[in-house]
Amino acid sequence: MNRTLAAVPLAAFLAACGSNGGGAGGSSGDIRIVGSSTVYPFTKAVAEDFMKANAGVNVTVESTGTGAGMKLFCAGVGSQYPDIEDASRQIKKSEYDACVQNGVKTVIEVPVGIDGLTIIEANSGPAMNLTQADIYKALASNPFGKGLNKAQTWKDVNPSLPAVKIRVLGPPPTSGTRDSLADLYLTKGCDTDPAMKALAKSNEDQHKQVCTKIREDGVYVEAGENDNLLVQKVSGDPGTLGVLGYSYLEQNADKVRAVQIAGVSPTEATIADLTYPGARKLYIYVKGEHVSAKPKLKDFVAQYAKMWGKGGPLERRGLVPFAGADATAATSQSTALKPLDASGLK
C-alpha cells in the first residue's frame, strides 16, 4: 500500500511533464545522482547514511565527471533523468541555458564545502615546488601565444627546476576538475604576462584559447575520472605528476604527496582561508521540478548539511568545511532551497 501511495504523486507529476515515466530514475522514493568524481565520495557517504535512516529509499551515485553529469542532469524532467548533480565547479551559463531549454527551469545550487585542486607526486620522487606560471608554461599548447610548446623537462620552463621529464596525468575535458585546472592554474599562470592580461580585455576568446588549451603531444595524459587509479599510476612512476582533489591526497598520504604551489602546501587551513592557489568551492545542484514529486530530496540535502560541518563525517573524509558567512549561507540554502539566480553565471 505504501508503494502504491508513493507512486501516485510521481505519476501525476510525470504526466504533467509529459514524461513516459520509465528509465533509471526508479520509484518516487529513489534518488539518482550524477557528476563530479571529486564530490562523489562525499555524496556517497551521505547516501549511505541516508539509506540507513530511510528504509526502502534507494540512492544511486554515479561518478561521471561534472561536465558529463551536467548533460545528464539538464537533459529533461522526469524519472529517467537525474535528481541531483555533483559539481566541482559552478554550473556554466551554457549548461544552465540547456537545462531551461529542456524544461529544467528551476535549478537549485547548494554549496557543500571547499576542496583544494592539488598537484601530486610520488613520495619516492624528487620534491617539486612549482608556480602557476611553471605549470602553464609546461602544459600550454601555445604558451603566451609565442608558438608550439617544445618544453620537455621542467628545467626547460624554469632554469631553477630539475631536468625531470614533464609528464602530467590529469582529468579529461568533461571533468569539472579540468575546468578548475584551467581557471586556477593555467589562466593564472598565463596572466602573469601583462600582454595576456591585456588580451583578456581585447579578445576574450583568443585569450581563452592561448591560456587554457593544453598541449596534445603526450606530455599531458588524460587519466579519466578514476582518481584512485590516478594515484596508483603517479605513485608507481616517480617524476610523473597528477592532478586531483585534496581529499584523495589525504587518503593516500602513504603513496603520494602534494607539490607546493608558490611555496604553499594544501592543508585544511590553507584551503579554508583560500591562501592555497588551488582552493575551490564544491556544489550539488538539485532539480526543482523533482522536489515536489520526491519529498525525500529535501531530506537528502538536509542530511548533507548535517554531515558537512566542522568535525563532521565529511571533514574526516577530506572535505574542508565552510567557515563564517559562507557556512551560514550554505546552511540557510540547504533548507530554503532557493532557485539559482543565473544572472552571474559565466
Side-chain angles (χ1 to χ4, degrees):
M1 181 176 293
N2 288 340
R3 289 184 180 178
T4 303
L5 291 174
V8 171
L10 184 63
F13 164 69
L14 293 174
C17 294
S19 169
N20 61 18
S27 74
S28 62
D30 292 344
I31 297 172
R32 182 185 172 205
I33 304 169
V34 297
S36 167
S37 62
T38 299
V39 184
Y40 172 83
F42 308 129
T43 300
K44 187 70 173 174
V46 176
E48 289 169 357
D49 278 18
F50 187 78
M51 285 189 286
K52 288 177 184 177
N54 293 269
V57 177
N58 183 44
V59 182
T60 60
V61 188
E62 302 170 53
S63 177
T64 64
T66 298
M70 284 293 184
K71 288 182 180 179
L72 293 168
F73 178 79
C74 290
V77 172
S79 65
Q80 69 267 49
Y81 302 107
D83 304 295
I84 294 176
E85 153 76 359
D86 291 335
S88 57
R89 56 158 171 79
Q90 191 173 45
I91 189 172
K92 297 177 181 179
K93 179 64 164 58
S94 59
E95 291 167 337
Y96 180 85
D97 290 344
C99 267
V100 172
Q101 185 176 353
N102 292 324
V104 185
K105 298 180 180 179
T106 307
V107 177
I108 300 166
E109 179 184 273
V110 183
V112 300
I114 314 174
D115 177 51
L117 180 58
T118 59
I119 311 297
I120 63 168
E121 61 189 359
N123 286 338
S124 57
M128 300 283 279
N129 185 344
L130 302 174
T131 65
Q132 289 154 304
D134 294 333
I135 295 167
Y136 171 71
K137 292 175 186 177
L139 297 184
S141 176
N142 179 19
F144 306 115
K146 296 180 179 179
L148 199 63
N149 196 340
K150 296 181 180 179
Q152 294 300 310
T153 72
W154 287 101
K155 193 175 184 66
D156 292 338
V157 303
N158 184 338
S160 67
L161 295 175
V164 174
K165 185 175 177 61
I166 302 168
R167 178 174 163 82
V168 180
L169 308 183
T174 55
S175 172
T177 298
R178 176 70 166 261
D179 293 317
S180 296
L181 174 64
D183 291 342
L184 300 172
Y185 289 100
L186 300 181
T187 300
K188 294 292 177 61
C190 182
D191 283 345
T192 57
D193 183 336
M196 293 299 100
K197 273 192 173 182
L199 182 62
K201 296 178 181 179
S202 63
N203 191 327
E204 187 176 344
D205 289 341
Q206 187 180 353
H207 175 266
K208 182 177 181 180
Q209 176 77 4
V210 171
C211 290
T212 66
K213 182 174 174 55
I214 292 178
R215 58 198 294 186
E216 299 175 344
D217 58 356
V219 166
Y220 180 88
V221 181
E222 292 181 6
E225 297 286 0
N226 188 330
D227 290 333
N228 287 313
L229 181 59
L230 187 148
V231 168
Q232 291 176 23
K233 289 180 177 179
V234 170
S235 64
D237 189 9
T240 291
L241 305 185
V243 182
L244 83 173
Y246 173 70
S247 61
Y248 286 91
L249 170 66
E250 273 212 321
Q251 294 167 19
N252 294 280
D254 58 325
K255 304 181 189 73
V256 295
R257 66 188 172 216
V259 171
Q260 288 190 333
I261 306 299
V264 182
S265 296
T267 65
E268 185 163 320
T270 61
I271 293 169
D273 65 14
L274 304 181
T275 56
Y276 177 66
R280 57 176 177 169
K281 288 185 179 181
L282 304 178
Y283 305 86
I284 60 173
Y285 289 89
V286 184
K287 192 170 293 180
E289 286 81 3
H290 286 195
V291 171
S292 58
K294 295 186 176 185
K296 288 296 182 181
L297 282 174
K298 288 184 178 180
D299 297 337
F300 183 83
V301 177
Q303 178 71 16
Y304 222 124
K306 288 179 183 177
M307 297 176 66
W308 71 35
K310 188 72 177 172
L314 298 187
E315 182 182 26
R316 292 194 292 272
R317 288 176 177 261
L319 182 71
V320 177
F322 287 123
D326 284 339
T328 301
T331 300
S332 174
Q333 175 62 350
S334 72
T335 56
L337 298 182
K338 294 180 180 177
L340 175 65
D341 178 359
S343 63
L345 296 180
K346 298 178 181 179

